[in-house]
Amino acid sequence: MTDDNQRRAWMDGHLEWAAHEFGVERIGQPLHTGRLHSVGCRVTDAGRDAWLRVVYADPEWGDGNYLEKNLAANAIHGVPKPTVKRWREWEDSGRRMRGELSTFVADAALSTGMTLTREVALPEQWLSDLNRALHGLAEHPAPPTGVDADYVNDGIRAFFGIDLDIASVPWTTAHCDLHWGNLTGPTLTILDWETWGRAPAGYDAATLVCTSLDRPDLARRVSAALSEFLDTHSGHVATLAAATRLLRFADGGEQTELARPVRQHATEILERL
């Protein structure tokens, strides 16, 4: 399915079907992700606001258990995040579909993409809440899957010309995709838990800093607020891992505005290593 309009209509149809199956009433317009990988909308469930989402597995997204990750994240405590209330799966033409009904988050995401597209007011309390959330997440037992160490090592070698085994530093549980499109404000909630897993300690903080580098003042504030995750050997290695991911995106034509500042930031980290 290559036509975007066709895919959007197909997803909208599944969202409507899922609303009927879950017994909820749609009260919001469908919201599609940028790559039309999932669609969701606000609904009422027994008189309470909730969020209905439909996502599908497709070979273009690679292998993995990302369809189960949002539900599995219910086991994580001490982190502001949605909770999956009910779910079910079905198939359409060989594609595995999944519907999830989750608690509703009233505050909107701070961006529609990885980087900020507008000025946002981030009070110190929001940054403190994020610091606390990352501590809570790191205390959760690390699952067996997450960031691919070999893939990152290859990327660090390709982009920076050094051999560095990121498996040699401590690893903790991480969101693994902590950017501005997955954070809400003015009250902090961390969204989209499809890829959470184990990662080098400090990886989430490093990812958020790297996706802030097109706004230097913001990057400095985030770095200062999360310095205990970043100003360590593990944090430096995690920063190179996060930088490698974004540079791969840039090579593929995405997040190109971050390529230069991310490379410069990584070069400064390499000097500390």
Side-chain angles (χ1 to χ4, degrees), residues 205-238:
T207 298
L208 190 60
V209 169
C210 284
T211 57
S212 308
L213 290 172
D214 58 336
R215 297 171 182 259
D217 290 343
L218 176 64
R220 281 190 286 270
R221 284 192 69 202
V222 174
S223 295
L226 304 179
S227 60
E228 58 195 291
F229 297 98
L230 299 166
D231 294 343
T232 64
H233 177 70
S234 176
H236 295 157
V237 172

Coordinates of all heavy atoms in Angstrom, one line a residue, residues 205-238:
A205 N 18.1 11.0 28.0 CA 18.6 12.4 28.2 C 19.4 12.8 27.0 O 19.2 14.0 26.5 CB 19.4 12.5 29.5
A206 N 20.3 12.0 26.5 CA 21.1 12.3 25.4 C 20.3 12.6 24.1 O 20.5 13.5 23.3 CB 22.1 11.2 25.1
T207 N 19.3 11.7 23.9 CA 18.4 11.9 22.8 C 17.7 13.2 22.8 O 17.6 13.9 21.8 CB 17.4 10.7 22.7 OG1 18.1 9.5 22.5 CG2 16.5 10.9 21.5
L208 N 17.2 13.6 23.9 CA 16.4 14.9 24.0 C 17.4 16.0 23.8 O 17.0 17.0 23.1 CB 15.7 15.0 25.4 CG 14.8 16.1 25.5 CD1 13.6 16.0 24.5 CD2 14.2 16.2 26.9
V209 N 18.5 16.0 24.4 CA 19.5 17.1 24.1 C 19.8 17.2 22.6 O 19.8 18.3 22.0 CB 20.8 16.9 24.9 CG1 21.9 17.8 24.5 CG2 20.5 17.1 26.4
C210 N 20.1 16.0 22.0 CA 20.4 16.0 20.6 C 19.3 16.6 19.7 O 19.6 17.3 18.7 CB 20.8 14.6 20.1 SG 22.5 14.1 20.6
T211 N 18.1 16.3 20.1 CA 16.9 16.9 19.3 C 16.6 18.3 19.7 O 15.7 18.9 19.2 CB 15.7 16.0 19.5 OG1 15.3 15.9 20.8 CG2 15.9 14.6 18.9
S212 N 17.4 18.9 20.6 CA 17.3 20.3 21.0 C 18.4 21.2 20.4 O 18.3 22.4 20.6 CB 17.3 20.4 22.5 OG 16.3 19.5 23.1
L213 N 19.3 20.6 19.7 CA 20.5 21.3 19.4 C 20.3 22.4 18.3 O 21.2 23.3 18.2 CB 21.6 20.3 18.9 CG 22.2 19.4 20.0 CD1 23.1 18.4 19.4 CD2 23.0 20.3 21.0
D214 N 19.2 22.4 17.7 CA 18.9 23.5 16.7 C 18.4 24.7 17.5 O 18.2 25.8 16.9 CB 17.8 23.1 15.7 CG 16.5 22.6 16.3 OD1 16.6 22.2 17.5 OD2 15.5 22.7 15.6
R215 N 18.2 24.6 18.8 CA 17.9 25.7 19.7 C 18.9 25.7 20.9 O 18.6 25.1 21.9 CB 16.4 25.5 20.2 CG 15.4 25.6 19.1 CD 14.0 25.3 19.6 NE 13.1 25.3 18.5 CZ 12.2 26.3 18.2 NH1 12.2 27.4 19.0 NH2 11.4 26.3 17.2
P216 N 20.0 26.3 20.7 CA 21.1 26.2 21.7 C 20.8 26.5 23.1 O 21.2 25.8 24.0 CB 22.2 27.1 21.1 CG 21.9 27.2 19.7 CD 20.4 27.1 19.5
D217 N 20.0 27.5 23.3 CA 19.6 27.9 24.7 C 18.8 26.8 25.3 O 19.0 26.5 26.5 CB 18.8 29.2 24.7 CG 19.7 30.4 24.4 OD1 20.9 30.3 24.4 OD2 19.1 31.5 24.0
L218 N 17.9 26.2 24.6 CA 17.1 25.1 25.1 C 17.9 23.9 25.4 O 17.8 23.2 26.4 CB 16.0 24.7 24.1 CG 15.1 23.5 24.4 CD1 14.3 23.8 25.7 CD2 14.2 23.2 23.3
A219 N 18.8 23.6 24.5 CA 19.7 22.4 24.7 C 20.6 22.6 26.0 O 20.8 21.6 26.7 CB 20.7 22.3 23.5
R220 N 21.0 23.8 26.2 CA 21.8 24.1 27.5 C 20.9 23.9 28.7 O 21.4 23.3 29.7 CB 22.4 25.5 27.4 CG 23.6 25.6 26.6 CD 24.3 26.9 26.8 NE 23.5 28.0 26.1 CZ 23.7 28.4 24.9 NH1 24.6 27.8 24.1 NH2 23.0 29.4 24.4
R221 N 19.6 24.3 28.6 CA 18.7 24.1 29.8 C 18.5 22.7 30.0 O 18.5 22.2 31.2 CB 17.4 24.9 29.6 CG 17.5 26.4 29.7 CD 16.0 26.9 29.7 NE 15.3 26.5 31.0 CZ 14.0 26.5 31.1 NH1 13.2 26.7 30.0 NH2 13.5 26.1 32.2
V222 N 18.2 21.9 29.0 CA 17.9 20.5 29.1 C 19.2 19.8 29.7 O 19.1 18.9 30.5 CB 17.5 19.9 27.8 CG1 17.3 18.4 27.9 CG2 16.1 20.5 27.4
S223 N 20.3 20.1 29.1 CA 21.6 19.5 29.5 C 21.8 19.7 31.0 O 22.3 18.8 31.7 CB 22.8 20.0 28.7 OG 22.7 19.7 27.4
A224 N 21.6 21.0 31.5 CA 21.8 21.3 32.9 C 20.8 20.5 33.8 O 21.2 20.0 34.8 CB 21.7 22.8 33.1
A225 N 19.6 20.4 33.3 CA 18.6 19.8 34.2 C 18.8 18.3 34.3 O 18.4 17.6 35.2 CB 17.2 20.0 33.6
L226 N 19.4 17.7 33.2 CA 19.7 16.2 33.2 C 21.1 15.9 33.2 O 21.6 14.8 32.8 CB 19.1 15.7 31.9 CG 17.6 16.0 31.6 CD1 17.1 15.4 30.3 CD2 16.7 15.5 32.8
S227 N 21.9 16.8 33.8 CA 23.4 16.6 33.8 C 23.8 15.3 34.5 O 24.8 14.7 34.1 CB 24.0 17.8 34.5 OG 23.6 18.0 35.8
E228 N 23.1 14.9 35.5 CA 23.5 13.7 36.2 C 23.4 12.4 35.3 O 24.1 11.4 35.6 CB 22.7 13.5 37.5 CG 21.2 13.4 37.3 CD 20.4 13.5 38.5 OE1 20.5 12.6 39.4 OE2 19.7 14.5 38.7
F229 N 22.6 12.5 34.3 CA 22.6 11.4 33.3 C 23.6 11.5 32.2 O 24.0 10.5 31.6 CB 21.2 11.4 32.7 CG 20.0 11.1 33.6 CD1 19.3 12.1 34.1 CD2 19.7 9.8 34.0 CE1 18.2 11.9 34.9 CE2 18.7 9.5 34.8 CZ 17.9 10.6 35.3
L230 N 24.1 12.8 32.0 CA 24.9 13.1 30.9 C 26.4 13.2 31.2 O 27.2 12.9 30.4 CB 24.4 14.4 30.2 CG 23.0 14.3 29.6 CD1 22.5 15.7 29.3 CD2 22.9 13.4 28.4
D231 N 26.7 13.8 32.4 CA 28.1 14.1 32.7 C 28.8 12.9 33.3 O 29.4 13.0 34.4 CB 28.1 15.3 33.6 CG 27.6 16.6 32.9 OD1 27.6 16.6 31.6 OD2 27.3 17.6 33.6
T232 N 28.7 11.8 32.7 CA 29.4 10.6 33.1 C 29.9 9.9 31.9 O 29.6 10.2 30.8 CB 28.4 9.6 33.8 OG1 27.4 9.2 32.9 CG2 27.7 10.3 35.0
H233 N 30.8 8.9 32.1 CA 31.3 8.2 31.0 C 30.2 7.5 30.2 O 30.1 7.5 29.0 CB 32.3 7.1 31.5 CG 32.9 6.3 30.4 ND1 33.7 6.8 29.4 CD2 32.7 4.9 30.1 CE1 34.0 5.8 28.5 NE2 33.4 4.7 28.9
S234 N 29.3 6.9 31.0 CA 28.1 6.2 30.3 C 27.3 7.3 29.6 O 26.8 7.0 28.4 CB 27.3 5.5 31.4 OG 26.1 5.0 30.7
G235 N 27.1 8.4 30.2 CA 26.3 9.5 29.5 C 27.0 9.9 28.2 O 26.3 10.2 27.2
H236 N 28.3 10.0 28.2 CA 29.0 10.4 27.0 C 28.9 9.3 25.9 O 28.6 9.7 24.7 CB 30.5 10.6 27.3 CG 30.8 11.7 28.2 ND1 31.9 11.8 29.0 CD2 30.0 12.8 28.5 CE1 31.9 13.0 29.7 NE2 30.7 13.6 29.5
V237 N 29.0 8.1 26.3 CA 28.8 7.0 25.3 C 27.4 7.0 24.8 O 27.1 6.8 23.6 CB 29.2 5.6 25.9 CG1 28.8 4.5 25.0 CG2 30.7 5.6 26.3
A238 N 26.4 7.2 25.7 CA 25.0 7.3 25.3 C 24.8 8.4 24.3 O 23.9 8.3 23.4 CB 24.1 7.4 26.5

